[in-house]
Amino acid sequence: MEFSTGFGWTRLPVLAAAFILGSVLTVSAQIIPPTAAAPDEEAEAAEAPDVNDPDVLNGIDVDKLDWGQLAIDAGTLNDIIAAKKRAQAAANDGLSWSSNANANGSSAVAVKQSVFTFWDTRIGADMTVTSEPRTMSELLAQKAANGGSLPQSSGSAWAAATAPGAGSIWDRTAVEARVDPGAEQSKIGASLTKSMPLSGDTSLTLQNGYSVNQQGTTALPGVGGHISRNYETDQTAKVTLTDTGTSITAGQTLSTTDDKWLRKVGAEQKLFDNVTVSGSVGETSQGPINKSLTAGFKKSW
């Protein structure tokens, strides 16, 4: 018996190729791994809130919140910063103490306090405090350091204020008063300062100062004490070169005790940060010329 089909032998290779191709596609579809989740989807899944997280708005009525406090313009922000600076300055205006040990065993103690910030008014006291020697060796050491005598405690009280000037006549007014009860000495003085630019890096400062010094003497039995006063005035001109850190000063002083003008010239050079060298040449009431050369270091913190 013969079996025959309508496809014919020539179509078998085509059917076999189609069957193989379909099988390959089916297997490939089964072994393709699932695609990884996108980074954005992972971030969203990580940031998704948990039902167990505490509610930060629990007990808060959102409708009653003052959202207007977030609407702060630049001017209001500057006012807030300025208020904080004023509060910090007021906290720093309290009583300030400083102490330095002297070579003779005493201590220089200074205290000051600001009482009025508008005119920069300050009061204070400068004292020399000595300690009682506790042993014979300390007693001998203090006498040796003070020429055979023990140092004595002393002190003076002062008050100072800095005020604005008078328009274009002068820029700043400074007033200072000092009283030393132990030495029966007192002084009150005032200075007027005017500054003006000469060029881009050069400025001129003019200053006139006036002071009254009062000295008293202790009354003795049968001899009454008396008070003497000395009036003094000084005039100073200072030229400052900002680029080089150089300043040149010329001035003169007149007092009732000298009864003549005493002239003085000087210069100061800034070497580097906080270190300066200064020199001066001036007349004295006795006749010889007074010369000085100093170097200084000044640091504020």
Side-chain angles (χ1 to χ4, degrees):
M1 179 180 292
E2 288 183 12
F3 292 93
S4 63
T5 63
F7 293 99
W9 292 104
T10 59
R11 297 184 180 181
L12 288 177
V14 178
L15 293 175
F19 177 80
I20 294 173
L21 180 60
S23 300
V24 171
L25 293 176
T26 303
V27 173
S28 300
Q30 292 177 354
I31 63 175
I32 293 177
T35 58
D40 294 339
E41 295 176 357
E42 291 182 354
E44 292 178 358
E47 296 176 357
D50 191 356
V51 295
N52 297 324
D53 292 342
D55 188 4
V56 296
L57 296 179
N58 187 18
I60 300 177
D61 189 356
V62 180
D63 296 334
K64 295 182 179 180
L65 293 177
D66 187 8
W67 300 102
Q69 295 184 1
L70 299 178
I72 300 178
D73 56 4
T76 305
L77 183 60
N78 293 334
D79 294 340
I80 295 175
I81 296 175
K84 289 183 177 180
K85 289 183 178 180
R86 288 193 298 269
Q88 185 177 3
N92 295 332
D93 288 338
L95 204 61
S96 175
W97 291 83
S98 63
S99 177
N100 295 309
N102 296 326
N104 60 358
S106 63
S107 298
V109 180
V111 56
K112 65 178 180 178
Q113 183 177 13
S114 177
V115 295
F116 191 45
T117 57
F118 179 71
W119 274 10
D120 191 18
T121 305
R122 309 167 304 280
I123 59 174
D126 298 327
M127 299 167 284
T128 300
V129 181
T130 61
S131 60
E132 294 293 334
R134 293 170 294 182
T135 62
M136 183 58 67
S137 60
E138 290 184 0
L139 176 62
L140 295 176
Q142 289 188 10
K143 285 187 175 181
N146 293 275
S149 61
L150 290 176
Q152 301 294 323
S153 298
S154 60
S156 61
W158 56 268
T162 303
S168 60
I169 302 177
W170 70 86
D171 301 330
R172 184 171 62 93
T173 304
V175 180
E176 181 177 358
R178 182 178 293 271
V179 178
D180 187 348
E184 297 187 14
Q185 185 178 11
S186 61
K187 177 181 179 180
I188 182 171
S191 63
L192 310 177
T193 305
K194 173 67 175 180
S195 299
M196 61 188 74
L198 298 180
S199 63
D201 59 347
T202 307
S203 62
L204 173 65
T205 302
L206 302 176
Q207 179 174 306
N208 290 337
Y210 310 90
S211 63
V212 179
N213 296 274
Q214 179 174 291
Q215 180 67 57
T217 58
T218 304
L220 299 175
V223 180
H226 68 279
I227 297 175
S228 62
R229 293 184 178 88
N230 177 33
Y231 300 89
E232 184 176 319
T233 179
D234 63 87
Q235 302 171 353
T236 304
K238 181 178 180 180
V239 177
T240 303
L241 306 176
T242 307
D243 289 349
T244 60
T246 306
S247 60
I248 302 173
T249 305
Q252 57 182 2
T253 303
L254 176 65
S255 65
T256 54
T257 57
D258 298 330
D259 198 22
K260 66 176 182 179
W261 287 100
L262 301 178
R263 297 171 178 82
K264 180 179 179 180
V265 294
E268 182 179 272
Q269 177 63 52
K270 182 178 180 181
L271 299 181
F272 45 88
D273 291 341
N274 307 316
V275 177
T276 58
V277 175
S278 60
S280 63
V281 177
E283 299 176 339
T284 62
S285 58
Q286 293 80 15
I289 300 297
N290 183 23
K291 303 176 183 179
S292 67
L293 180 63
T294 59
F297 173 81
K298 184 178 181 180
K299 178 69 174 178
S300 300
W301 62 87

